Amino acid sequence: ALQGVSLFSRPLEFFFFYSAAEATEVLRRERDIAVVMLDVVMERQDAGLTLVKVIRDELKLADVRIILRTGQPGYAPDIDTITAFDINDYRTKSELTRSMLFITLTAALRSYRQIKALEELAYCDSLCKLPNRNRFIALLDEELQQQGPCADMAMAMAIIDIDDFSEVNDAFGHLFGDRTLQIVAQRLLDALGEGTTLARIGSDTFGVMGPSRLIDPAALLALFHTPFHVLSDAVMLTATVGLLPLPESTGTGQDALKNAYIALKRAKKSCRGGYVRFTPDFGVEVQERGRLLQALHAAVEGHRLFVVYQPQVRLLGDEVFGMEALLRWRTDEGRYIPPDQFIPLAE
C-alpha cells in the first residue's frame, strides 16, 4: 500500500520479517530503523509483545517508534497492552486502510524526527560535531558496565584541557577561538583513529576514551607541538592532560569523569603542559580536603579560630620590638588542627 511513497522529502524503505527472532537479528545490525510495525502473533501468540521488550530493554532502541497491530485483539487487549508495554500506537488490522497507514506512519516518523532533533541538542556539541559531556558520560557508563578482567583490553580515558585558551579568545575574538577549537578537534580525531571516542566536554576541554594502548598522554601532548593554522594565522597551543585507567574507577561515568578532573587539576598545579595519572589515593585526599573545608566553615561560625601572638625579639639586647599574629584552630574536642593543613584551605 505504501510502495513508492515519500515522507518528509525522503522515500520510504521497508524491511519485512516473518518472525520475532528474524527481526531481532536484523535490529541488532541495522541501527537506523525509525518505525517498527509489529504483529502480536507470529511464531508464538505473544512473540510480538516479547519483541517489544527486546527492542527496548536488550537492544536499547528507545527512539524507534513501535506500532503494534493485531488481527486478534484478545491476545493483547488494547488498554492493558498500552499500559504495560512501551509502544507508541496500537491498531487492529481492520483499521489499517491505506489512508490510515499513511496517517499512522506519518505521525510516527514525525515523532521520530523530533526525538532525533532533541537528542542532537542533548548529546551533540554543535560547534565541533562531537559527542558532548552528557553523551560522553553515557558512553562511560556503558563501558564501565561492560568492563572485563582482560588486561590487554583495559580501557582508559583522558581529559585534554587547552592551556590559557581564554587568552586566544581575548586576543583574536570568539570566531577565531571557535575555529581554533574545530581545528584542534580535527587533529585529535585524525590522530586517535578508530576504536576511540572523542568528545567536547567543556568550553576548551576534550574527553577521549579507548583502549589503554591508544590513550597515550605523551602522544596526545605531542599533537600540540606543531602550530595550528587558523584563518591564515599559525597558533601555538599547549595542553594539560588528566589520565584515568577505567579499571581504577568505581561507580558511574560521572564518577569516572570526576576522577579524571582530579588528575587534571593536579597536573595543572604541578606540571602544566604535562599529564598526571589518577590513582585511588587522589580520591581519598580530595574527600579529606572536602571534609576539612566543611569543618573549617563550621569552625568560623562557631568561633573556634583564635589568634596567638609570637614575640619578635632583637638578638642584640633581647628587646621585644614586635609581634607576629598567628591563627590557630581548636576543635570542640580540644584538638588542634595544624596550620599547614587549614591555612591553604582558608586562602
Side-chain angles (χ1 to χ4, degrees):
L2 296 176
Q3 290 296 326
V5 171
S6 293
L7 286 174
F8 306 108
S9 303
R10 294 179 62 181
L12 299 179
E13 183 178 358
F14 295 92
F15 299 86
F16 297 97
F17 312 107
Y18 296 95
S19 71
E22 184 183 354
T24 299
E25 290 307 309
V26 174
L27 283 166
R28 290 186 196 278
R29 303 191 304 268
E30 176 62 57
R31 307 298 285 188
D32 196 29
I33 290 176
V35 181
V36 173
M37 300 188 70
L38 181 61
D39 202 350
V40 175
V41 179
M42 289 180 284
E43 66 265 50
R44 298 189 315 277
Q45 291 182 348
D46 64 345
L49 297 179
T50 300
L51 181 56
V52 171
K53 290 187 174 296
V54 170
I55 292 171
R56 298 305 195 206
D57 300 337
E58 182 180 332
L59 302 181
K60 306 296 184 185
L61 299 176
D63 47 1
V64 173
R65 305 295 84 192
I66 299 178
I67 303 168
L68 198 69
R69 60 190 185 89
T70 182
Q72 304 177 57
Y75 287 128
D78 49 6
I79 295 177
D80 294 343
T81 303
I82 284 285
T83 302
F85 292 86
D86 185 4
I87 62 175
N88 307 106
D89 202 353
Y90 180 105
R91 300 286 174 181
T92 60
K93 291 181 183 177
S94 61
E95 294 181 273
L96 293 178
T97 61
R98 187 178 189 278
S99 62
M100 185 57 70
L101 276 169
F102 185 86
I103 291 169
T104 301
L105 196 56
T106 300
L109 282 172
R110 181 176 288 117
S111 175
Y112 178 80
R113 283 159 54 91
Q114 291 168 346
I115 289 171
K116 284 297 186 184
L118 289 172
E119 285 183 350
E120 188 78 10
L121 291 172
Y123 294 112
C124 181
D125 171 58
S126 59
L127 177 66
C128 297
K129 308 304 180 187
L130 294 173
N132 65 7
R133 182 188 183 93
N134 292 335
R135 180 59 179 153
F136 192 62
I137 290 172
L139 292 171
L140 282 170
D141 279 327
E142 292 177 13
E143 183 56 45
L144 288 168
Q145 292 172 8
Q146 297 172 5
Q147 271 191 139
C150 184
D152 60 351
M153 291 297 289
M155 301 287 283
M157 67 159 290
I159 297 178
I160 307 163
D161 184 83
I162 302 175
D163 298 326
D164 303 314
F165 185 75
S166 60
E167 294 182 3
V168 175
N169 278 329
D170 293 341
F172 300 102
H174 288 278
L175 179 62
F176 187 95
D178 288 348
R179 184 64 185 134
T180 302
L181 289 171
Q182 291 171 337
I183 292 173
V184 170
Q186 191 59 55
R187 184 178 290 184
L188 289 169
L189 279 173
D190 292 343
L192 290 166
E194 294 185 5
T196 60
T197 298
L198 178 68
R200 183 177 174 224
I201 59 176
S203 60
D204 57 0
T205 308
F206 295 90
V208 60
M209 175 177 65
S212 297
R213 57 186 173 79
L214 298 179
I215 309 301
D216 179 358
L220 293 173
L221 292 171
L223 297 175
F224 291 82
H225 292 171
T226 54
F228 296 86
H229 296 280
V230 184
L231 302 178
S232 75
D233 285 310
V235 182
M236 286 301 303
L237 299 172
T238 63
T240 304
V241 172
L243 177 68
L244 171 70
L246 288 184
E248 295 182 14
S249 183
T250 58
T252 65
Q254 184 71 59
D255 296 325
L257 193 60
K258 178 193 70 175
N259 291 338
Y261 267 111
I262 291 172
L264 175 66
K265 189 172 182 180
R266 286 217 170 196
K268 285 282 190 182
K269 291 177 65 175
S270 63
C271 57
R272 194 177 183 84
Y275 72 92
V276 165
R277 172 183 171 138
F278 176 85
T279 67
D281 291 343
F282 290 0
V284 174
E285 291 176 19
V286 169
Q287 290 174 0
E288 289 298 327
R289 180 183 175 90
R291 279 195 285 266
L292 192 62
L293 185 59
Q294 292 300 315
L296 181 57
H297 280 292
V300 172
E301 295 294 328
H303 304 287
R304 305 306 304 174
L305 300 178
F306 61 95
V307 176
V308 298
Y309 298 95
Q310 179 168 282
Q312 293 178 317
V313 179
R314 203 179 308 277
L315 293 180
L316 293 176
D318 292 335
E319 175 192 357
V320 175
F321 67 93
M323 297 282 182
E324 183 179 5
L326 302 173
L327 191 65
R328 295 290 182 262
W329 175 7
R330 184 170 52 215
T331 67
D332 292 337
E333 296 80 22
R335 183 172 62 90
Y336 285 89
I337 305 297
D340 64 346
Q341 290 185 20
F342 78 86
I343 292 296
L345 285 180
E347 291 174 344

